[in-house]
């Protein structure tokens, strides 16, 4: 895992014991999403959320290829987001939610050109709206300053029922 990826930074800055992280991820805590065994390891359906400590929710977001590169198709991305919103509804416990602009880092899309920050944000907001999930606390989608300069927030305001 790359130390420059979000997962790498999370592990470097917030995980003191990798064995504890592995135990938490592989725990039997309930999720309605399927889990498969793959070569002795658990493989979670995209969008599955696992709690780590009090403040972190970990997301099964992509597949890894033979070169350990994160990959998914656009259909998998959308299904992942739909599952993620449902999982967040189940696990967030009435607390504010902060998450990154998913797919804007080192993730590779197999079936389309790399998506722009605006397209990714629009997809995140549209899937949230279409799930019918309601959150009583704010949801913050964190954008880098570079991404902020490329996104038209007025356009996004019309996509989200939560407001921006």
């Amino acid at each position: 895992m790359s130390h420059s990826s979000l997962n790498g930074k999370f592990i470097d800055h917030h995980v003191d014991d990798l064995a504890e992280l592995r135990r938490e991820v592989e725990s039997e805590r309930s999720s309605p999403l399927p889990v498969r065994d793959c070569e002795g390891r658990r493989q979670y359906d995209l969008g599955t959320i696992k709690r780590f400590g009090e403040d972190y929710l970990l997301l099964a977001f992509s597949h890894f290829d033979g070169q350990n590169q994160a990959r998914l198709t656009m259909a998998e991305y959308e299904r992942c987001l739909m599952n993620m919103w449902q999982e967040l509804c189940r696990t967030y416990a009435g607390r504010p939610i902060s998450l990154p602009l998913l797919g804007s880092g080192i993730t590779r899309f197999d079936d389309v050109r790399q998506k722009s920050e605006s397209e990714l944000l629009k997809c995140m907001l549209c899937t949230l709206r279409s799930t019918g999930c309601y959150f009583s606390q704010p949801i913050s989608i964190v954008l880098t300053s570079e991404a902020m300069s490329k996104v038209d927030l007025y356009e996004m305001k019309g996509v989200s029922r939560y407001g921006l």
Side-chain angles (χ1 to χ4, degrees), residues 38-86:
C38 182
E39 299 175 10
R41 300 185 79 187
R42 289 196 173 142
Q43 186 176 37
Y44 297 93
D45 203 31
L46 297 181
T48 300
I49 300 263
K50 290 288 193 157
R51 183 176 293 283
F52 183 73
E54 284 296 312
D55 295 324
Y56 298 102
L57 299 173
L58 308 177
L59 172 68
F61 178 65
S62 64
H63 307 287
F64 288 92
D65 65 14
Q67 289 78 40
N68 265 343
Q69 295 177 333
R71 305 189 91 71
L72 71 167
T73 64
M74 202 58 206
E76 289 170 328
Y77 178 73
E78 291 173 6
R79 188 177 75 242
C80 175
L81 293 175
M82 296 290 286
N83 287 343
M84 177 194 72
W85 296 122
Q86 295 290 336

Side-chain angles (χ1 to χ4, degrees), residues 76-117:
E76 289 170 328
Y77 178 73
E78 291 173 6
R79 188 177 75 242
C80 175
L81 293 175
M82 296 290 286
N83 287 343
M84 177 194 72
W85 296 122
Q86 295 290 336
E87 285 277 272
L88 283 172
C89 256
R90 183 181 66 79
T91 60
Y92 92 114
R95 297 175 67 185
I97 298 168
S98 295
L99 57 142
L101 181 59
L102 295 169
S104 65
I106 60 175
T107 302
R108 291 149 186 91
F109 290 95
D110 287 335
D111 57 347
V112 295
R113 62 171 173 66
Q114 195 63 26
K115 301 300 262 178
S116 72
E117 287 85 350

